Amino acid sequence: MTAALTGFATGFSLILAIGAQNAFVLRQGLLRSHVFWLCLFCAASDALLITAGVAGFGAMVAAAPWLPLVMSLGGAAFLIVYGLTRLIAAWRGGDAMEIGGADHSLWKTLAIAAAFTWANPHVYLDTLGLIGAVSTQYPDWPTRITFGAGAVIASFVFFFGLGYGARFLAPIMRSARAWQVLDLVIGLTMLAIAAKLIAGVL
């Protein structure tokens, strides 16, 4: 159960930051346009990448036993830098989001989502690298699979929650204060994950 919760928290925190993909899902949710298929596409894409990270990382570790240390320290460094940038953003404020523009057909909507997902280098670092690295804390496969399942569930909860909850979030997401709180939570979560990664290899 602990592995599943850790996987859920890790996966959820990594996709919580509002980037281009999440902003697009939020926008479509506000428009109430193709929400189900868009959320399913984004969550399924994450599930595929998370599965590859958890499964493939174990195979790479068998060939290179030093890889978990390197990936964990590298991932921790990235999380520390990223977490600090979110804390700085929270301190500065002024990151309210504006959403507008024309609607798209289903296929164009999915094509845009695919570009945001698969052409984004950070998604590979998050799923194949960071989640794969954290999964090595669980040497036995049943526990590691449980961890991966938690991360996959987090993606489905996040994207469907964002897409269908957008209509309720719209007034809040236009508030700079709300973004300060969100950035603060993201920053502290990233630093906590970084600390756990470092503690796991030292």
Side-chain angles (χ1 to χ4, degrees):
M1 189 64 174
T2 302
L5 291 176
T6 301
F8 187 92
T10 303
F12 200 87
S13 62
L14 288 173
I15 61 176
L16 187 58
I18 298 296
Q21 180 195 48
N22 298 346
F24 183 63
V25 173
L26 181 60
R27 173 187 175 275
Q28 292 300 116
L30 289 169
L31 294 172
R32 303 184 187 185
S33 175
H34 314 304
V35 177
F36 175 80
W37 294 110
L38 175 61
C39 293
L40 181 62
F41 176 86
C42 293
S45 296
D46 258 15
L48 181 62
L49 289 166
I50 289 168
T51 300
V54 172
F57 205 82
M60 288 189 287
V61 168
W66 47 265
L67 195 57
L69 174 63
V70 174
M71 289 297 295
S72 294
L73 293 178
F78 171 80
L79 289 171
I80 290 170
V81 172
Y82 184 82
L84 291 176
T85 62
R86 297 332 305 158
L87 293 179
I88 292 172
W91 179 67
R92 290 178 177 174
D95 286 339
M97 174 182 279
E98 294 295 333
I99 300 177
D103 192 13
H104 305 290
S105 68
L106 173 60
W107 292 112
K108 187 171 183 179
T109 297
L110 294 181
I112 294 172
F116 284 148
T117 302
W118 297 96
N120 180 6
H122 291 293
V123 75
Y124 299 101
L125 177 61
D126 289 349
T127 54
L128 297 179
L130 291 175
I131 291 181
V134 176
S135 72
T136 60
Q137 296 181 45
Y138 306 101
D140 58 297
W141 273 107
T143 309
R144 188 176 298 182
I145 290 172
T146 302
F147 167 84
V152 168
I153 292 171
S155 290
F156 277 86
V157 170
F158 176 82
F159 284 115
F160 278 92
L162 181 62
Y164 284 101
R167 68 193 70 175
F168 305 108
L169 295 174
I172 300 174
M173 290 302 180
R174 291 191 174 93
S175 165
R177 177 65 65 182
W179 285 108
Q180 285 181 286
V181 174
L182 179 62
D183 281 331
L184 177 62
V185 172
I186 293 171
L188 293 176
T189 302
M190 292 298 178
L191 293 180
I193 295 174
K196 185 171 183 178
L197 272 178
I198 294 172
V201 296
L202 295 182

